[in-house]
Amino acid sequence: MEKQLLHFKAMGVMLIFLMMIPASTPPRKYTKPVTYPCVQYPPLTYSPILLKINVDANYTPKDLAGMRESAPTLVMEELKRVNYNFKLADGVRPNLVLFITFTNDGYNHYGVILNVDWQGQGNFTISLPNNYITVKQLFADMANEFNRWVINGWHSGNCK
């Protein structure tokens, strides 16, 4: 009987501690999600539109230095094909800075993430999935998509 009484006392103490655990946690405070205002950026109508192009990859290419040297020229060729107003900024402040990150799924399918900064005033991101097997088509689609954003303007924030 004493042994059972000892077990009941131990179980009682454990039950009290278990009941204290939920009581000791701080109450959950509701925080309203932050909603950012909708900001509409106008189309860029000036000519030329000066660009600075930075290239990177989310994988280890065979020749990253060569890619960083040749990709801006190839991208500019495609951009000039869709809109002759684009020009590389050479010694002057660019209107747009393009951060191009090439992606690869490990099976030689390529994609791109293009982050564009407009003189620190606004930015936008274009993502093309790893569905491309030729870089030429990837560059062509990236240039067309980028040009669409530049000539139509873009928005950021909570726009409905």
Side-chain angles (χ1 to χ4, degrees):
M1 184 79 170
E2 283 183 33
K3 197 173 191 180
Q4 285 181 342
L5 187 59
L6 188 61
H7 284 274
F8 281 126
K9 286 181 182 179
M11 291 292 278
V13 170
M14 284 180 56
L15 188 60
I16 290 171
F17 279 118
L18 288 175
M19 290 172 51
M20 290 173 59
I21 290 174
S24 66
T25 58
R28 294 184 184 196
K29 184 179 177 184
Y30 174 75
T31 56
K32 186 176 179 181
V34 177
T35 55
Y36 296 98
C38 179
V39 178
Q40 182 69 36
Y41 296 97
L44 302 183
T45 56
Y46 40 85
S47 179
I49 299 172
L50 300 175
L51 304 176
K52 177 181 176 183
I53 300 175
N54 298 318
V55 177
D56 204 2
N58 75 343
Y59 63 99
T60 306
K62 292 177 184 171
D63 184 15
L64 181 60
M67 185 173 90
R68 286 184 172 153
E69 187 176 317
S70 64
T73 305
L74 297 172
V75 169
M76 279 307 298
E77 287 174 7
E78 281 299 320
L79 288 172
K80 285 182 179 181
R81 186 186 59 77
V82 296
N83 187 340
Y84 63 89
N85 284 334
F86 295 120
K87 183 179 177 187
L88 277 177
D90 188 11
V92 294
R93 182 177 178 195
N95 304 117
L96 297 170
V97 179
L98 283 65
F99 298 94
I100 302 172
T101 304
F102 292 102
T103 60
N104 184 321
D105 65 358
Y107 298 99
N108 291 330
H109 299 111
Y110 298 97
V112 71
I113 301 169
L114 176 63
N115 292 308
V116 181
D117 179 54
W118 180 40
Q119 298 177 343
Q121 299 177 35
N123 56 19
F124 60 90
T125 300
I126 299 169
S127 295
L128 298 177
N130 294 330
N131 294 336
Y132 295 89
I133 55 173
T134 62
V135 176
K136 181 178 171 96
Q137 186 61 46
L138 176 65
F139 282 5
D141 288 355
M142 179 181 61
N144 287 326
E145 188 71 16
F146 173 72
N147 186 58
R148 190 173 61 81
W149 282 66
V150 170
I151 64 172
N152 294 326
W154 66 93
H155 63 270
S156 65
N158 191 15
C159 302
K160 292 184 180 185

